[in-house]
Amino acid sequence: MSASAGARRWRAQLEEAVLPAVVALLIAALVGDVLIIVYGQSPGEVYRALLEGTWGNAYGLGQVLYKTTTLTFTGLSVAIGLRAGLFNIGAESQLAAGGFAAGVLGTLLPPGLPALLVLPLFIVAAAIGGGAVGGAAGVLKSKWGAHEVITTIMLNFIVLALLNYLTVAHFKVFDTLHTADVRSGALPRLSALIPPFHGSAANMVLFLALAVVAVAWWYLFRSRAGYELRAVGLQPGAAEYGGVNVPGVWWRAMLISGAVAGIGGLNFVLGYKHYYEDGFSTGAGFLGIAVALVGRNNPVGVVLAALLFGTLSQGGLAVNALVPKQMVDVLQAVVIIAVVTSVPEVRRVLRSARRRGGPEA
Amino acid sequence: MRKLLILVGVLLAAHVVLLFVHPAGAASPAIDPHAVNVGIVFDVGGRGDKSFNDAAYVGGERAEKELGVHVRFIEPGDGSDREAALRIFAAEGMKLVIGVGFIFTDDLVQLAKEYPNTDFAGVDFSVATDSAGNPIPPPPNLAALKFREEEGSFLVGALAAMVGHSKKVGFVGGMNSPLIQKFQAGYTAGVHYVCPDCQVIAQYAGVTPDAFRNPGKGKELALSQYQDGVNVIFHASGSTGLGVFEAARQTNKLAIGVDADQYSEAPGHVLTSMVKGVDAAVFDAIKRVKDGTFKGGIYSYGLAQNGVRYVYDEHNKALIPDSVQARLQQLRADIIAGKIKVPTTP
């Protein structure tokens, strides 16, 4: 009896996890079909080109993994904020600040140090870069109650302009928009392990991303601090009544959120180009919001959602010869809208069906 | 539950049906191996900038019409997309792959080494120099398309001095950088060539890329120069120049446009424009590939190649006397013949 009840609950959980996503993706695919036909192309051809250019060959897959890595960091960053009830719109500038800090550190280190030895230094530098921006918004909220949506948006403008100025006026190599190469700490590409990935930007930071996901999951769901963070996110008044220092949780959550986004900068700086380039991360921070929403603020869901948006982003290049780039941008937006509307709707239907079906749930 | 499964089934069926819709005129993604295929990757920002990327697009379109080649375009998103887009074209077997903007420099060098049988070209490619200051030549299958902006600037400088009726002429630059200083150097040399005791008032809008999109600052600088007795201002400052035109209209004086023919920005107040022929350079590179005469190296487009020129047409004829036009043509011929050496630094 209890075994079958457990199986039923497990099945119900699976249905709740999978069905809404399936419905949302199908709706998005249908809207995409119509748009492509209106533009005068064949949906079959466009989707085929999209899949061939992404999962169809090792190079495309490597590019997807590279984009997935950055999106995992920014998606996780936004998800951690949302778990605390905070909407961090600032992953864009936190990511850039983390990358900049790592890039500058790389030009200061003596050359020839082993990458694994200095990697912790780079992680700390990138986390400080991103965490400072996120933490600033957190302190503004905790101390003076400034809304984090406003402050993180404004910090995007301030920080991106500041980084642009610092790069152009002080750190750039002549006639370029990037800093000098890092002298130590450059990480190998994935193609060093798996040769068919040759040419793609995927690199060892992918594994760092998975490690950060695991730590974030443990922090959110197994640690006391994470429990407090989620309690504040669900019901700040009740958490405070239960003895939680709510403003303290707020600024810590923003600090961690910013630090996670900042570490994402290593993907470009240490893994791909080995220098910081002004504007390297354009759009990845904002796409992180979509990744967090579609991944339902769950670290594992974030990875899957990042994989989806990484595929669409790389696929956009592959189909650019058939349809304009804006078509894929629209498709990404449709995915987001379809997910946020269909998830609660499908779950409501599932639950009411079960209630009618029997005592379960 | 059953309703949901039916919904999924219906959506899936509709999607599968639509997959097979094939509208008339839909392009086939497969490239024709017998044609000359060209791939152009735009700078981030892409088409619609009314300058660089659009000019490259025009060049590509013209090549399609006049040379019968196939041209495809990609607009990249983030920083890793530049290399990815070049790679997609190279892997597809394009004959020529073009990157638009100096930011493609690193990516083009790497790809040109990896694909020695594909030709590459970079607009405004930034040629690296060795420790002794000598230019390092690009790989043999990579053409660096550079422009001698100073030559065109020389001619508009001479024009400004000849029709300005003032001992003072103005210059408004965008971001203070070696590229824009090339415009200033040529312009100043042109002014002094026809009017040795004239004074050039040169000002920049700033030291960051934002100085290229600050019309307010452009207007402020231009108004103060006009009040100072300047009658003609040459701007090399992106959309900051829109403020210069505004000031020219307000004070009923003259301004000189840059990159494209900017007559329509302030009809009657645009003396001429110093046009940079990105479209011609792109067309030229494609034509060489089609003719089988493509070679890597540094290509420098100046007055001789019509890579830079000044506008003289029915719109601004009235502002430029025939004698002045004749003198400009003489100066142009002298520069092409090498009789006049135009400096690149002020």
Side-chain angles (χ1 to χ4, degrees):
Chain A
M1 179 64 205
S2 92
S4 85
R8 229 183 298 158
R9 194 172 310 129
W10 190 82
R11 194 188 134 183
Q13 274 186 354
L14 188 74
E15 279 174 2
E16 279 204 16
V18 173
L19 264 179
V22 169
V23 172
L25 286 181
L26 275 174
I27 291 172
L30 269 176
V31 174
D33 289 337
V34 173
L35 284 174
I36 292 164
I37 291 171
V38 169
Y39 184 74
Q41 284 291 358
S42 156
E45 289 288 346
V46 172
Y47 285 124
R48 195 174 60 84
L50 193 146
L51 283 178
E52 268 181 12
T54 52
W55 294 76
N57 62 71
Y59 169 73
L61 182 59
Q63 285 297 111
V64 170
L65 291 178
Y66 170 79
K67 286 171 179 267
T68 301
T69 304
T70 304
L71 292 177
T72 299
F73 280 108
T74 55
L76 197 58
S77 160
V78 178
I80 291 170
L82 283 173
R83 283 282 177 181
L86 301 172
F87 207 166
N88 177 13
I89 317 281
E92 186 89 7
S93 59
Q94 291 150 11
L95 174 66
F100 181 79
V104 171
L105 172 68
T107 62
L108 299 176
L109 285 176
L113 297 177
L116 272 181
L117 189 76
V118 291
L119 181 60
L121 284 180
F122 279 99
I123 294 175
V124 169
I128 290 175
V133 181
V139 169
L140 287 172
K141 172 150 185 112
S142 303
K143 282 261 180 204
W144 295 287
H147 202 291
E148 77 281 356
V149 168
I150 310 291
T151 53
T152 51
I153 290 177
M154 294 307 149
L155 278 168
N156 278 340
F157 290 115
I158 296 168
V159 171
L160 292 177
L162 180 69
L163 293 180
N164 175 272
Y165 167 75
L166 288 174
T167 308
V168 170
H170 295 292
F171 290 99
K172 75 164 183 203
V173 177
F174 175 74
D175 235 11
T176 69
L177 276 179
H178 60 73
T179 61
D181 280 15
V182 298
R183 300 204 283 177
S184 289
L187 292 171
R189 301 256 181 113
L190 219 49
S191 51
L193 280 182
I194 311 165
F197 279 128
H198 173 77
S200 74
N203 59 73
M204 299 304 171
V205 176
L206 174 66
F207 301 111
L208 179 63
L210 295 178
V212 171
V213 165
V215 171
W217 183 87
W218 177 86
Y219 174 80
L220 282 175
F221 299 110
R222 288 292 178 272
S223 79
R224 186 198 150 100
Y227 181 81
E228 288 184 357
L229 185 148
R230 286 185 296 127
V232 169
L234 286 172
Q235 192 45 270
E240 188 162 32
Y241 187 71
V244 177
N245 173 7
V246 173
V249 167
W250 277 341
W251 75 256
R252 274 198 299 276
M254 285 304 289
L255 181 76
I256 295 169
S257 175
V260 168
I263 296 171
L266 297 182
N267 193 32
F268 184 92
V269 173
L270 285 192
Y272 177 38
K273 284 286 193 184
H274 307 155
Y275 52 65
Y276 168 84
E277 178 183 294
D278 190 45
F280 78 89
S281 57
T282 308
F286 294 123
L287 212 48
I289 298 169
V291 169
L293 287 175
V294 174
R296 292 165 51 202
N297 301 332
N298 181 301
V300 179
V302 161
V303 175
L304 295 176
L307 208 52
L308 170 67
F309 282 98
T311 303
L312 283 176
S313 174
Q314 176 65 18
L317 285 181
V319 302
N320 205 176
L322 296 173
V323 294
K325 174 169 168 283
Q326 284 80 0
M327 190 74 87
V328 176
D329 295 345
V330 170
L331 206 57
Q332 287 188 341
V334 174
V335 169
I336 298 164
I337 295 171
V339 167
V340 295
T341 49
S342 73
V343 165
E345 185 61 22
V346 171
R347 281 214 227 147
R348 193 184 57 75
V349 173
L350 276 176
R351 289 204 176 127
S352 77
R354 260 183 236 121
R355 221 168 291 132
R356 269 180 278 118
E360 163 71 14
Chain B
M1 189 63 217
R2 187 183 297 154
K3 269 191 212 152
L4 266 180
L5 288 179
I6 291 172
L7 174 69
V8 169
V10 169
L11 288 173
L12 190 64
H15 176 56
V16 169
V17 168
L18 287 178
L19 279 184
F20 289 97
V21 175
H22 210 286
S28 160
I31 67 167
D32 176 1
H34 302 295
V36 174
N37 293 289
V38 177
I40 296 180
V41 185
F42 294 119
D43 202 347
V44 175
R47 283 187 46 205
D49 65 351
K50 291 192 176 171
S51 147
F52 228 60
N53 292 298
D54 280 349
Y57 181 77
V58 168
E61 288 274 274
R62 203 181 119 210
E64 263 199 329
K65 271 195 213 103
E66 293 179 21
L67 304 176
V69 299
H70 291 255
V71 183
R72 275 180 19 193
F73 304 91
I74 293 186
E75 295 170 70
D78 65 58
S80 72
D81 281 354
R82 290 195 307 270
E83 185 192 338
L86 294 173
R87 211 173 265 282
I88 285 172
F89 279 148
E92 272 180 350
M94 297 274 175
K95 275 243 197 303
L96 171 67
V97 181
I98 302 175
V100 183
F102 75 91
I103 198 146
F104 281 90
T105 300
D106 282 6
D107 304 304
L108 279 169
V109 170
Q110 196 188 331
L111 267 283
K113 286 179 184 156
E114 265 184 62
Y115 289 88
N117 298 322
T118 305
D119 291 327
F120 292 87
V123 176
D124 264 1
F125 183 93
S126 119
V127 178
T129 50
D130 60 20
S131 50
N134 300 313
I136 301 169
N141 55 332
L142 171 54
L145 310 179
K146 312 273 290 174
F147 294 87
R148 297 199 295 277
E149 290 91 351
E150 70 277 8
E151 293 185 355
S153 303
F154 183 96
L155 292 186
V156 298
L159 173 62
M162 285 189 282
V163 304
H165 305 296
S166 162
K167 290 286 172 204
K168 288 178 179 172
V169 288
F171 175 83
V172 171
M175 174 181 163
N176 196 340
S177 56
L179 177 66
I180 302 304
Q181 283 167 9
K182 244 161 78 174
F183 289 83
Q184 186 201 338
Y187 181 72
T188 308
V191 170
H192 288 154
Y193 191 84
V194 298
C195 172
D197 60 338
C198 276
Q199 184 197 352
V200 177
I201 302 177
Q203 288 174 300
Y204 284 85
V207 294
T208 69
D210 273 335
F212 286 118
R213 35 179 188 266
N214 191 347
K217 181 85 183 173
K219 185 174 176 185
E220 187 188 307
L221 291 175
L223 280 177
S224 77
Q225 292 190 5
Y226 286 135
Q227 263 159 26
D228 213 19
V230 166
N231 287 332
V232 184
I233 296 176
F234 175 38
H235 92 87
S237 62
S239 63
T240 297
L242 300 180
V244 176
F245 292 125
E246 178 61 31
R249 205 168 21 216
Q250 207 172 310
T251 56
N252 202 19
K253 295 195 174 186
L254 294 170
I256 298 173
V258 77
D259 286 349
D261 183 0
Q262 296 193 304
Y263 169 80
S264 59
E265 297 297 342
H269 299 284
V270 179
L271 176 59
T272 183
S273 296
M274 205 289 281
V275 177
K276 191 165 154 179
V278 172
D279 51 344
V282 165
F283 180 84
D284 198 37
I286 297 174
K287 189 164 187 305
R288 278 170 209 266
V289 168
K290 170 132 200 278
D291 299 343
T293 59
F294 184 91
K295 272 206 211 76
I298 301 168
Y299 287 77
S300 179
Y301 290 88
L303 291 173
Q305 298 80 11
N306 259 332
V308 291
R309 61 189 176 85
Y310 68 96
V311 175
Y312 179 73
D313 61 13
E314 69 272 19
H315 294 306
N316 64 349
K317 252 187 180 137
L319 297 169
I320 304 175
D322 287 347
S323 61
V324 170
Q325 166 66 3
R327 179 91 200 271
L328 288 177
Q329 285 302 314
Q330 184 55 47
L331 290 174
R332 178 173 181 274
D334 286 350
I335 292 173
I336 292 173
K339 283 187 212 156
I340 299 175
K341 290 263 177 278
V342 184
T344 55
T345 48

